[in-house]
Amino acid sequence: GENVEQHPSTLSVQEGDSAVIKCTYSDSASNYFPWYKQELGKGPQLIIDIRSNVGEKKDQRIAVTLNKTAKHFSLHITETQPEDSAVYFCAAILAAGNKLTFGGGTRVLVKP
Amino acid sequence: SAVISQKPSRDICQRGTSLTIQCQVDSQVTMMFWYRQQPGQSLTLIATANQGSEATYESGFVIDKFPISRPNLTFSTLTVSNMSPEDSSIYLCSVETQLNTEAFFGQGTRLTVV
């Protein structure tokens, strides 16, 4: 089955700086890669996603890049704000089965 | 997107008892899933809830421990049976509105077994 690894496990940045989280996946058949933000006491919230036919996608301060050859994808948050502090999860879906496989999560702390 | 309501939001239960968690969606969805998130950990898929038939369980999860129902396209339940402290986790309902599209999560049920 699919295996998703996520790094780093914790990330501390100064407000206004950028944050980058990287994930690798094992199955080249995976074709959909969502990112979730989970705040304390809440369920994961979908913040951005990318499909295998696209190399990059942006939505305001967040962007995701995908390198299919290397089987890795990254989340970029620019101009970080304290409200960006949360746990972020990457995930991958195999083309068949529609089962989300999650990375281990990254706890992001934005220091004012 | 879909609005997902989970009940209860949290509970403290005695070991040996069972708890049923409900997931209600505001629109018909194709796929419904149940996940477990142990303290400080990532999400692990328990099973896919199939409408009108038995759920499809992932390795390590069995129907006797986690019976699941899905009587229609908007509602599902997960029961955690014969609970032990090791079952203390957040249990999350997730839905996909169409095949191979975005997955949305409920707010989760925080279960503590004492």
Side-chain angles (χ1 to χ4, degrees):
Chain A
E2 177 64 280
N3 182 47
V4 178
E5 294 192 359
Q6 183 171 346
H7 299 281
S9 57
T10 60
L11 180 60
S12 182
V13 297
Q14 206 66 38
E15 182 178 359
D17 288 349
S18 296
V20 180
I21 304 170
K22 298 181 179 180
C23 289
T24 60
Y25 60 99
S26 60
D27 197 322
S28 57
S30 291
N31 66 353
Y32 175 65
F33 307 91
W35 285 88
Y36 290 86
K37 175 183 181 182
Q38 187 175 27
E39 297 175 313
L40 194 62
K42 297 185 178 180
Q45 177 192 5
L46 178 68
I47 56 172
I48 195 167
D49 56 15
I50 191 166
R51 296 191 182 273
S52 58
N53 58 348
V54 176
E56 183 177 357
K57 184 177 179 180
K58 285 185 178 181
D59 183 2
Q60 300 183 346
R61 295 186 299 106
I62 59 174
V64 57
T65 59
L66 172 65
N67 184 325
K68 288 173 56 181
T69 303
K71 290 189 285 187
H72 67 71
F73 56 113
S74 300
L75 177 71
H76 304 252
I77 307 174
T78 59
E79 301 174 24
T80 53
Q81 301 169 2
E83 52 264 38
D84 294 328
S85 296
V87 179
Y88 292 81
F89 292 99
C90 64
I93 289 185
L94 281 171
N98 297 320
K99 298 176 183 179
L100 269 174
T101 300
F102 283 84
T106 298
R107 184 174 300 276
V108 174
L109 175 63
V110 180
K111 296 182 286 186
Chain B
S1 65
V3 177
I4 305 165
S5 299
Q6 257 186 259
K7 293 181 182 180
S9 59
R10 58 177 61 232
D11 207 341
I12 301 173
C13 300
Q14 295 292 322
R15 66 178 69 200
T17 64
S18 297
L19 176 72
T20 295
I21 302 167
Q22 298 181 1
C23 178
Q24 178 73 55
V25 193
D26 68 341
S27 59
Q28 292 186 351
V29 295
T30 54
M31 307 291 287
M32 295 185 78
F33 306 92
W34 287 97
Y35 285 83
R36 182 175 72 184
Q37 186 176 27
Q38 295 177 302
Q41 301 297 312
S42 185
L43 290 83
T44 301
L45 180 63
I46 297 172
T48 303
N50 299 310
Q51 192 234 338
S53 64
E54 191 172 291
T56 304
Y57 290 85
E58 297 299 305
S59 176
F61 298 96
V62 295
I63 188 171
D64 289 347
K65 177 68 175 177
F66 298 102
I68 288 170
S69 77
R70 187 180 174 190
N72 55 52
L73 292 175
T74 64
F75 184 78
S76 178
T77 66
L78 166 74
T79 299
V80 186
S81 303
N82 189 25
M83 289 183 285
S84 67
E86 292 71 36
D87 294 321
S88 297
S89 290
I90 299 172
Y91 292 87
L92 293 148
C93 172
S94 174
V95 305
E96 288 182 15
T97 54
Q98 299 177 43
L99 283 176
N100 204 25
T101 58
E102 299 91 342
F104 301 98
F105 285 82
Q107 80 276 17
T109 296
R110 184 178 294 273
L111 171 62
T112 302
V113 184
V114 296

